[in-house]
Amino acid sequence: MGGHMKQARLTIFFTALIILFAFALGWTQSLIDGSECVSYDNVKKRYLISCWSTGQIVAVDTNGYESVVWENPTGSIVSHHIVGNRFFVATDFNPGGVAVIDLDADTLITKFYIPGATQLDGMTSDTSGNLYVVAPNNARIYKINLATYAFSIFSIALAPFTQDLLFDTVLNKIIAVGYSANAPIQYVNIPGGSVTTIVNNPYGFMDGIARDNEGNYYVSCYTEGKIYRYDPAFTNPPTEVSSGHTNPANIGFDPVNNLLLVPNFNGGRVDLVGIHADFKADITHGNIPLTVNFTSRSINHPTVDSWNWDFGDGQTGSGQNVSHTYNAAGLYRVVLDIVTPEGNFQRRRHNYIFALADTITAPDLGVMPGAVVEIPVYARNTAPLKKIVLPFNYYGPVGLFYDSFSTAGCRTDLFGSKTRGYMDNDEGQVSLIFENGWLEPGSGPIVKLYFTVTGSDWGVQSDLTLEGFLGYWPTFTWCTFNYSPYLIEGRVRIPVCGDTNGDEKYDILDIIYLINHKFKGGPAPVLTVTADVNSDGKIDILDILYLINNKFKSGPEPYCTA
């Protein structure tokens, strides 16, 4: 992407959504933001991502665990390139700089600036000990000696806003792509730096270039959200390989797993695209039982003898397109093996399917008129959550009046932001938002709500519901997507005056219960306040006579006071 445009994007997306690796690896942290470039570190078996917005290099291993390899304290990070155990990173803008990191220890070796380079971007290296880095804003390439870090201008004849470079070891040339309308793909000759146009790309606005193990070239079209493939000699028109990306930037290639690595600069993810075998699902998350339809495709292989699936839950299947139902909650990896005349190939997506059985539960509570009550709300979550939206409805004759909430002792207590999004006691509605934190999988209370009971009638109840209102919906957010958990409603009730046995009604059984207690050593009333039916502050024979008089002689109704 051209430097002048990316500086604008930096401001716009500085607070962009935290990113997940497109469910392909599915790690459980949130360090990636503004993914600009991605490479595979074969020594440590991890992916290295340049994060424009945060100025960090984030490493993600094949189990999905994240860590920060290096953070630029003075500005953003753009492209990068691996040479042996050294990791070269394009940083800053005026002037552009290069940081050199030791990948064995993940420590900074040195950092230097190139005067006149207002921004540095794509990098590559030759087989003669030189690193090349392009400056899009002035369309030139700088050559850096890998032994001494001495630099010089190598080429000044590039197309406008040349964005990325790739060294062709067979031709001993650099291939350059650029971010401009119908940008040409160019050869940069070594030595000398002269430039020859290979082909005028009909799609233009290219941000990155990569090459697979068979010598095919891939270019990312930033504006179209697509990846196109060229044959090794650029003799045929490009073919579309992958689409649906959001501003794909400086792409890379994982030669071990045959994966094309596509950072989505503004899309909230990094996509891993299989170049031999690939598949997609019509849905990747939902409540159990979750039925998923998988569609496979083979790339570069017109004939496939068989497709074999492992759905990650102990079940397998066969066929080009299959359907599978997940009956247990969890995160599942899916593996597709294809058998072709050219060989066997595999596509593996870790934590690809998220089968949900998450819940938010409101309790069933008894309360007294005039009391201040604590109502805990519980949640069970299968995957880590970075945000929770909790709307709560409490309208009814109990007369709950919302006072406050607390997360002390709750699972959300470590969230950085805990706010009330909306409150209307007249309508009986309150909405809370918890974010800037991380709720690990588990179950337990997530908040305690405090209400004053304003109702004075005995034997009434109010439902506690969790349905949404006014744009607030019960929502869990796991990295890049939102979903609605199961809602288990509750209630709050003022007990029935005269209910001595706790069955939530007043009848002759309550008289028998109280007689049994007073004269036969039976259990005490479940609630003292509802058994003191004459409100004299004690439970005795007079309460029994009061109830008998009401039931059999049309005496006054039981009268309880809180």
Side-chain angles (χ1 to χ4, degrees):
M1 181 75 196
H4 63 298
M5 299 189 71
K6 273 195 175 167
Q7 290 190 20
R9 295 208 316 253
L10 176 62
T11 301
I12 296 171
F13 295 101
F14 202 82
T15 57
L17 291 175
I18 295 173
I19 307 173
L20 175 70
F21 212 127
F23 312 118
L25 296 180
W27 50 79
T28 59
Q29 299 297 313
S30 308
L31 299 177
I32 303 169
D33 195 357
S35 52
E36 166 64 25
C37 183
V38 57
S39 297
Y40 182 66
D41 177 5
N42 188 37
V43 175
K44 292 189 175 181
K45 309 300 181 185
R46 60 182 180 173
Y47 298 94
L48 300 172
I49 302 102
S50 295
C51 296
W52 174 288
S53 302
T54 61
Q56 294 178 332
I57 296 291
V58 175
V60 185
D61 67 18
T62 53
N63 292 317
Y65 296 106
E66 292 186 4
S67 60
V68 176
V69 172
W70 182 70
E71 182 171 3
N72 181 23
T74 59
S76 296
I77 283 178
V78 191
S79 183
H80 60 245
H81 183 67
I82 298 174
V83 181
N85 70 336
R86 286 181 294 174
F87 188 55
F88 295 86
V89 181
T91 68
D92 307 318
F93 291 97
N94 194 11
V98 176
V100 187
I101 298 165
D102 180 350
L103 287 180
D104 293 331
D106 288 344
T107 56
L108 181 68
I109 298 173
T110 187
K111 183 179 179 181
F112 56 89
Y113 293 93
I114 300 177
T118 56
Q119 176 184 326
L120 297 176
D121 205 314
M123 292 180 167
T124 193
S125 58
D126 62 20
T127 54
S128 301
N130 299 298
L131 178 75
Y132 301 87
V133 57
V134 66
N137 290 348
N138 55 13
R140 64 177 54 177
I141 296 176
Y142 292 91
K143 180 179 179 180
I144 301 169
N145 185 288
L146 289 173
T148 65
Y149 303 133
F151 55 84
S152 60
I153 296 174
F154 174 69
S155 178
I156 59 173
L158 299 170
F161 301 111
T162 296
Q163 194 73 22
D164 196 16
L165 307 175
L166 178 67
F167 178 68
D168 187 316
T169 56
V170 176
L171 300 175
N172 196 40
K173 298 178 186 292
I174 294 172
I175 301 176
V177 296
Y179 188 89
S180 59
N182 302 119
I185 300 177
Q186 298 179 307
Y187 279 140
V188 184
N189 296 300
I190 298 176
S194 62
V195 176
T196 303
T197 293
I198 307 171
V199 63
N200 287 309
N201 190 329
Y203 307 104
F205 295 98
M206 295 172 289
D207 205 318
I209 183 170
R211 191 182 189 189
D212 66 19
N213 293 327
E214 285 76 41
N216 299 296
Y217 295 97
Y218 300 81
V219 296
S220 58
C221 184
Y222 185 91
T223 50
E224 288 191 0
K226 297 180 178 181
I227 307 297
Y228 293 95
R229 180 178 64 241
Y230 284 92
D231 62 77
F234 292 95
T235 55
N236 298 312
T239 58
E240 180 182 317
V241 172
S242 182
S243 62
H245 310 286
T246 307
N247 305 127
N250 196 325
I251 57 178
F253 183 70
D254 173 358
V256 176
N257 300 295
N258 276 304
L259 295 174
L260 195 63
L261 314 177
V262 185
N264 290 241
F265 187 84
N266 294 326
R269 65 186 189 274
V270 175
D271 299 332
L272 297 118
V273 179
I275 67 162
H276 288 294
D278 204 6
F279 63 87
K280 64 180 180 179
D282 63 339
I283 185 172
T284 57
H285 64 278
N287 293 322
I288 58 171
L290 177 63
T291 298
V292 182
N293 296 306
F294 294 97
T295 303
S296 72
R297 64 171 181 163
S298 60
I299 304 171
N300 297 331
H301 303 289
T303 301
V304 177
D305 297 325
S306 65
W307 295 263
N308 300 297
W309 299 82
D310 182 341
F311 301 113
D313 61 350
Q315 302 297 312
T316 60
S318 61
Q320 182 174 2
N321 304 314
V322 296
S323 179
H324 180 68
T325 298
Y326 292 87
N327 293 302
L331 292 168
Y332 297 100
R333 64 102 179 95
V334 180
V335 180
L336 169 65
D337 287 289
I338 65 171
V339 178
T340 78
E342 294 81 18
N344 300 345
F345 303 98
Q346 185 182 89
R347 179 70 169 101
R348 180 183 297 260
R349 290 180 181 265
H350 293 276
N351 290 354
Y352 185 56
I353 301 299
F354 183 13
L356 301 169
D358 291 21
T359 58
I360 301 178
T361 303
D364 187 329
L365 295 175
V367 299
M368 295 296 163
V372 175
V373 297
E374 176 185 284
I375 299 180
V377 180
Y378 301 84
R380 179 181 66 189
N381 58 300
T382 306
L385 304 176
K386 70 175 184 178
K387 182 178 179 179
I388 299 172
V389 178
L390 176 66
F392 202 75
N393 301 269
Y394 50 91
Y395 182 81
V398 170
L400 294 177
F401 185 91
Y402 172 77
D403 295 323
S404 61
F405 75 91
S406 172
T407 60
C410 296
R411 300 173 62 220
T412 55
D413 200 34
L414 294 180
F415 274 70
S417 175
K418 295 166 279 191
T419 60
R420 190 192 72 202
Y422 180 82
M423 186 272 291
D424 186 338
N425 272 314
D426 291 334
E427 295 294 330
Q429 296 174 330
V430 64
S431 181
L432 305 178
I433 303 172
F434 307 108
E435 53 189 336
N436 298 334
W438 204 252
L439 187 69
E440 293 297 336
S443 61
I446 58 172
V447 68
K448 292 177 282 190
L449 305 173
Y450 294 94
F451 295 87
T452 298
V453 180
T454 64
S456 58
D457 294 333
W458 293 84
V460 297
Q461 71 177 39
S462 295
D463 292 332
L464 304 178
T465 65
L466 300 159
E467 290 89 359
F469 51 82
L470 299 176
Y472 295 97
W473 305 101
T475 306
F476 286 172
T477 300
W478 178 49
C479 293
T480 58
F481 72 89
N482 303 324
Y483 63 95
S484 297
Y486 289 112
L487 306 177
I488 302 175
E489 314 296 0
R491 63 174 179 159
V492 64
R493 51 193 164 77
I494 298 177
V496 176
C497 186
D499 176 18
T500 65
N501 61 6
D503 64 357
E504 297 188 31
K505 58 185 177 181
Y506 161 54
D507 54 22
I508 193 170
L509 295 178
D510 294 295
I511 300 174
I512 297 172
Y513 189 96
L514 197 55
I515 292 172
N516 188 50
H517 167 63
K518 294 303 295 183
F519 299 107
K520 297 184 178 181
V526 174
L527 289 174
T528 300
V529 67
T530 61
D532 182 15
V533 294
N534 61 3
S535 294
D536 64 356
K538 54 188 176 181
I539 299 174
D540 53 21
I541 186 76
L542 295 178
D543 294 296
I544 298 174
L545 294 174
Y546 193 101
L547 293 175
I548 292 173
N549 188 45
N550 168 254
K551 280 296 183 183
F552 300 105
K553 298 183 179 182
S554 300
E557 292 291 328
Y559 175 69
C560 301
T561 56

